[in-house]
Amino acid sequence: MNAEVTSPPRTAIVTGAGSGIGRASALALLNDGWQVVLAGRRREPLEAVAAESGAGERAMPYPADVSDASAVAALFAAAVERFGRVDLLFNNAGLGNPPGPFEDWTPEQWRAVVDVNLNGMFFCLQQAFRTMKAQSPRGGRIINNGSISATTPRPNSAAYTATKHAVKGLTKTAALDGRPWDIAVGQIDVGNAMTELAAAMAKGVPQANGQIAVEPMMDVADVGRSVLYMANLPLDVNVLFHTVMATKMPFVGRG
């Protein structure tokens, strides 16, 4: 009898892995047998996710600020040193809008959102391409977190919405540029997952007509399952844009 051949675990980097969508996605990947580098700005939440997963050495907490290009380069180098390659980047880290009307925001508040949501997304994408092009076998998958705001804004969401529209452009161009290198690039757009960032929606959020309304929410674990579905596709298959949302949220139609 021939011995069963088992494939080595695949390796993912998840940014913003300490909470919310990043946490749910990291847990889904770890529970599926992936090796996961848990990236985020604070070590304690990353270590908590690693412990919760029960994955042992397959979970690697790594504090990193994605808005710092040198920190991102070090993140990918550490992932390769530990696990040998990177098969998946879930490019997830993000900030919400500053408080108050946008005309009152300071330049520093605006730049803080752009630095994480756009510059950080680019720095991670850049390092993922460099790593995936150089490794053998070459290639891999990148999933950008676009948000429903990549398509449709909410009132007073200029910083978040502008960066998420830009992410949509990054996804399209990276998907094109990745073709010759077997790098599949797609985007997940999430609507009303119950996370710390979106918790206010359960209490009431401004609508396009000026009213405040409580919006339906969904379990963030379902977003993790969506990321896992995309991650497990073969590299000759790509989901370019995947929208997962609370069924009854006010997204499609007139608002």
Side-chain angles (χ1 to χ4, degrees), residues 168-213:
K168 191 171 186 178
L170 276 179
T171 298
K172 288 182 175 180
T173 53
L176 182 60
D177 294 340
R179 287 178 187 173
W181 304 102
D182 301 314
I183 300 172
V185 184
Q187 180 169 313
I188 187 165
D189 295 329
V190 180
N192 286 20
M194 183 57 80
T195 66
E196 297 89 336
L197 192 64
M201 297 178 192
K203 302 176 183 177
V205 64
Q207 304 296 303
N209 62 2
Q211 294 180 343
I212 303 295

Coordinates of all heavy atoms in Angstrom, one line a residue, residues 168-213:
K168 N -10.7 49.4 -3.9 CA -11.3 48.7 -5.0 C -10.4 48.9 -6.3 O -10.2 47.9 -7.0 CB -12.7 49.3 -5.3 CG -13.5 48.5 -6.3 CD -14.9 49.0 -6.4 CE -15.8 48.2 -7.3 NZ -17.2 48.7 -7.3
G169 N -9.8 50.0 -6.5 CA -8.9 50.2 -7.6 C -7.6 49.4 -7.4 O -7.1 48.8 -8.3
L170 N -7.1 49.3 -6.1 CA -5.9 48.5 -5.9 C -6.2 47.0 -6.2 O -5.4 46.3 -6.7 CB -5.5 48.6 -4.4 CG -4.6 49.8 -4.0 CD1 -4.4 49.7 -2.5 CD2 -3.3 49.8 -4.7
T171 N -7.4 46.6 -5.8 CA -7.8 45.2 -6.1 C -7.8 44.9 -7.5 O -7.2 43.9 -8.0 CB -9.2 44.9 -5.5 OG1 -9.1 45.0 -4.0 CG2 -9.6 43.4 -5.8
K172 N -8.4 45.8 -8.3 CA -8.5 45.5 -9.8 C -7.1 45.5 -10.4 O -6.8 44.6 -11.2 CB -9.4 46.6 -10.4 CG -10.8 46.4 -10.1 CD -11.6 47.5 -10.9 CE -13.1 47.3 -10.7 NZ -13.9 48.4 -11.4
T173 N -6.3 46.5 -10.1 CA -5.0 46.6 -10.7 C -4.1 45.4 -10.3 O -3.3 44.8 -11.1 CB -4.3 47.9 -10.4 OG1 -4.3 48.1 -9.0 CG2 -5.0 49.0 -11.1
A174 N -4.1 45.1 -9.0 CA -3.3 43.9 -8.5 C -3.8 42.6 -9.1 O -2.9 41.7 -9.3 CB -3.4 43.9 -7.0
A175 N -5.1 42.5 -9.3 CA -5.6 41.2 -9.9 C -5.0 41.1 -11.3 O -4.6 40.0 -11.8 CB -7.1 41.2 -9.9
L176 N -4.9 42.2 -12.0 CA -4.3 42.2 -13.4 C -2.8 42.0 -13.3 O -2.3 41.1 -14.0 CB -4.6 43.6 -14.0 CG -4.2 43.8 -15.4 CD1 -4.8 42.8 -16.4 CD2 -4.5 45.2 -15.9
D177 N -2.1 42.6 -12.4 CA -0.7 42.5 -12.3 C -0.2 41.1 -11.8 O 0.9 40.7 -12.0 CB -0.1 43.6 -11.4 CG -0.3 45.0 -12.0 OD1 -0.5 45.1 -13.3 OD2 -0.2 46.0 -11.3
G178 N -1.1 40.5 -11.0 CA -0.8 39.2 -10.5 C -0.9 38.0 -11.4 O -0.4 36.9 -11.1
R179 N -1.6 38.2 -12.5 CA -1.9 37.1 -13.5 C -0.6 36.3 -13.9 O -0.6 35.1 -13.9 CB -2.6 37.6 -14.7 CG -4.1 38.0 -14.5 CD -4.7 38.5 -15.8 NE -6.0 39.0 -15.6 CZ -6.7 39.6 -16.5 NH1 -6.2 39.8 -17.7 NH2 -7.9 40.0 -16.3
P180 N 0.5 37.0 -14.3 CA 1.6 36.3 -14.8 C 2.3 35.5 -13.7 O 3.2 34.7 -14.0 CB 2.5 37.4 -15.4 CG 1.7 38.6 -15.5 CD 0.6 38.5 -14.5
W181 N 2.0 35.8 -12.4 CA 2.8 35.2 -11.3 C 2.0 34.3 -10.5 O 2.4 33.9 -9.4 CB 3.4 36.4 -10.4 CG 4.2 37.3 -11.2 CD1 3.8 38.6 -11.7 CD2 5.5 37.2 -11.7 NE1 4.8 39.2 -12.4 CE2 5.9 38.3 -12.4 CE3 6.4 36.1 -11.6 CZ2 7.1 38.5 -13.0 CZ3 7.7 36.3 -12.2 CH2 8.0 37.5 -12.9
D182 N 0.8 33.9 -11.0 CA -0.1 33.0 -10.3 C -0.5 33.6 -8.9 O -0.7 32.9 -7.9 CB 0.6 31.6 -10.1 CG 0.9 31.0 -11.4 OD1 0.1 31.0 -12.3 OD2 2.1 30.5 -11.5
I183 N -0.7 34.9 -8.9 CA -1.2 35.6 -7.7 C -2.6 36.0 -8.0 O -2.9 36.8 -8.8 CB -0.3 36.8 -7.3 CG1 1.1 36.4 -7.1 CG2 -0.9 37.5 -6.1 CD1 2.1 37.5 -6.9
A184 N -3.6 35.4 -7.2 CA -5.0 35.7 -7.3 C -5.3 36.8 -6.3 O -5.1 36.6 -5.1 CB -5.8 34.5 -7.1
V185 N -5.9 37.9 -6.8 CA -6.3 39.0 -5.9 C -7.8 39.3 -6.0 O -8.3 39.4 -7.1 CB -5.5 40.3 -6.3 CG1 -5.8 41.4 -5.3 CG2 -4.0 40.0 -6.3
G186 N -8.4 39.2 -4.8 CA -9.9 39.5 -4.7 C -10.2 40.4 -3.6 O -9.3 40.8 -2.8
Q187 N -11.4 40.7 -3.4 CA -11.9 41.7 -2.4 C -13.1 41.1 -1.7 O -14.0 40.6 -2.4 CB -12.1 43.0 -3.0 CG -12.6 44.1 -2.1 CD -12.5 45.5 -2.7 OE1 -11.5 45.8 -3.3 NE2 -13.6 46.2 -2.6
I188 N -13.2 41.3 -0.4 CA -14.4 41.0 0.3 C -15.0 42.3 0.8 O -14.3 43.1 1.4 CB -14.2 40.0 1.5 CG1 -15.5 39.6 2.1 CG2 -13.2 40.5 2.5 CD1 -15.4 38.4 3.0
D189 N -16.3 42.5 0.5 CA -17.0 43.7 1.0 C -18.1 43.3 2.0 O -19.0 42.6 1.7 CB -17.7 44.4 -0.2 CG -16.6 45.0 -1.2 OD1 -15.5 45.3 -0.8 OD2 -16.9 45.0 -2.4
V190 N -17.9 43.8 3.2 CA -18.7 43.4 4.3 C -19.7 44.4 4.8 O -19.3 45.6 4.9 CB -17.8 43.0 5.5 CG1 -18.6 42.5 6.7 CG2 -16.8 41.9 5.1
G191 N -20.9 44.0 5.0 CA -21.9 45.0 5.5 C -22.5 44.5 6.8 O -23.2 43.5 6.9
N192 N -22.3 45.3 7.8 CA -23.0 45.2 9.1 C -22.7 43.9 9.8 O -23.6 43.2 10.3 CB -24.5 45.3 9.0 CG -24.9 46.8 8.7 OD1 -24.1 47.6 8.3 ND2 -26.2 47.1 8.9
A193 N -21.4 43.6 9.9 CA -21.0 42.5 10.8 C -20.8 43.0 12.2 O -20.4 44.2 12.4 CB -19.6 41.9 10.3
M194 N -21.2 42.3 13.2 CA -21.2 42.7 14.6 C -19.7 42.7 15.1 O -19.2 41.7 15.5 CB -22.0 41.9 15.5 CG -22.1 42.3 16.9 SD -22.7 44.0 17.1 CE -24.4 43.8 17.0
T195 N -19.1 43.9 15.0 CA -17.7 44.0 15.5 C -17.7 45.3 16.4 O -18.7 46.1 16.4 CB -16.7 44.2 14.3 OG1 -17.0 45.5 13.7 CG2 -16.8 43.1 13.3
E196 N -16.6 45.5 17.0 CA -16.4 46.7 17.8 C -16.6 48.0 16.9 O -17.2 49.0 17.3 CB -15.0 46.8 18.4 CG -14.8 45.7 19.4 CD -14.2 44.4 18.8 OE1 -14.4 44.2 17.5 OE2 -13.5 43.6 19.5
L197 N -16.1 47.9 15.7 CA -16.2 49.1 14.8 C -17.6 49.4 14.4 O -18.0 50.5 14.2 CB -15.3 48.8 13.5 CG -15.1 50.0 12.6 CD1 -14.2 51.1 13.3 CD2 -14.3 49.5 11.4
A198 N -18.4 48.3 14.3 CA -19.8 48.5 13.7 C -20.9 48.4 14.8 O -22.1 48.5 14.5 CB -20.1 47.5 12.7
A199 N -20.5 48.3 16.1 CA -21.5 48.1 17.1 C -22.5 49.2 17.2 O -23.7 49.0 17.6 CB -20.7 47.9 18.5
A200 N -22.1 50.5 16.9 CA -23.0 51.6 17.0 C -24.2 51.4 16.1 O -25.3 52.0 16.4 CB -22.3 52.9 16.6
M201 N -24.1 50.6 15.0 CA -25.2 50.5 14.1 C -26.4 49.8 14.7 O -27.5 49.9 14.3 CB -24.8 49.7 12.8 CG -23.7 50.4 12.0 SD -23.2 49.4 10.6 CE -21.8 50.3 10.1
A202 N -26.1 48.9 15.7 CA -27.2 48.2 16.4 C -28.0 49.1 17.3 O -29.1 48.8 17.7 CB -26.6 47.1 17.3
K203 N -27.4 50.3 17.6 CA -28.1 51.3 18.4 C -28.8 52.4 17.6 O -29.6 53.2 18.1 CB -27.1 51.9 19.4 CG -26.4 50.9 20.3 CD -25.4 51.6 21.2 CE -24.7 50.6 22.0 NZ -23.6 51.3 22.9
G204 N -28.4 52.5 16.3 CA -28.9 53.6 15.5 C -27.8 54.3 14.7 O -26.8 54.7 15.3
V205 N -28.0 54.5 13.4 CA -27.0 55.1 12.6 C -27.6 56.0 11.6 O -28.8 55.7 11.1 CB -26.2 53.9 11.9 CG1 -27.0 53.1 10.9 CG2 -24.9 54.5 11.2
P206 N -27.0 57.1 11.2 CA -27.7 58.1 10.3 C -27.9 57.4 8.9 O -27.1 56.7 8.4 CB -26.6 59.2 10.2 CG -25.8 59.1 11.4 CD -25.8 57.7 11.8
Q207 N -29.1 57.7 8.4 CA -29.4 57.2 7.0 C -29.3 58.3 6.0 O -29.2 59.5 6.4 CB -30.9 56.7 7.1 CG -31.1 55.6 8.1 CD -30.3 54.3 7.9 OE1 -30.4 53.7 6.8 NE2 -29.5 53.9 8.8
A208 N -29.5 58.0 4.7 CA -29.3 59.0 3.7 C -30.4 60.1 3.8 O -30.1 61.2 3.3 CB -29.4 58.3 2.3
N209 N -31.6 59.8 4.3 CA -32.6 60.8 4.4 C -32.6 61.6 5.7 O -33.5 62.4 6.0 CB -34.0 60.1 4.3 CG -34.2 59.1 5.5 OD1 -33.4 58.9 6.3 ND2 -35.4 58.4 5.4
G210 N -31.5 61.4 6.5 CA -31.3 62.2 7.7 C -31.8 61.5 9.0 O -31.6 62.0 10.1
Q211 N -32.6 60.4 8.8 CA -33.1 59.8 10.0 C -32.0 58.9 10.7 O -31.0 58.6 10.1 CB -34.3 58.9 9.6 CG -35.5 59.6 9.1 CD -36.7 58.7 8.7 OE1 -36.5 57.5 8.5 NE2 -37.9 59.2 8.6
I212 N -32.3 58.6 11.9 CA -31.4 57.6 12.6 C -32.2 56.3 12.7 O -33.4 56.3 13.2 CB -31.1 58.1 14.1 CG1 -30.4 59.5 14.0 CG2 -30.2 57.1 14.8 CD1 -29.0 59.5 13.3
A213 N -31.6 55.2 12.3 CA -32.3 53.9 12.3 C -31.4 52.8 12.8 O -30.2 52.8 12.5 CB -32.8 53.6 10.9

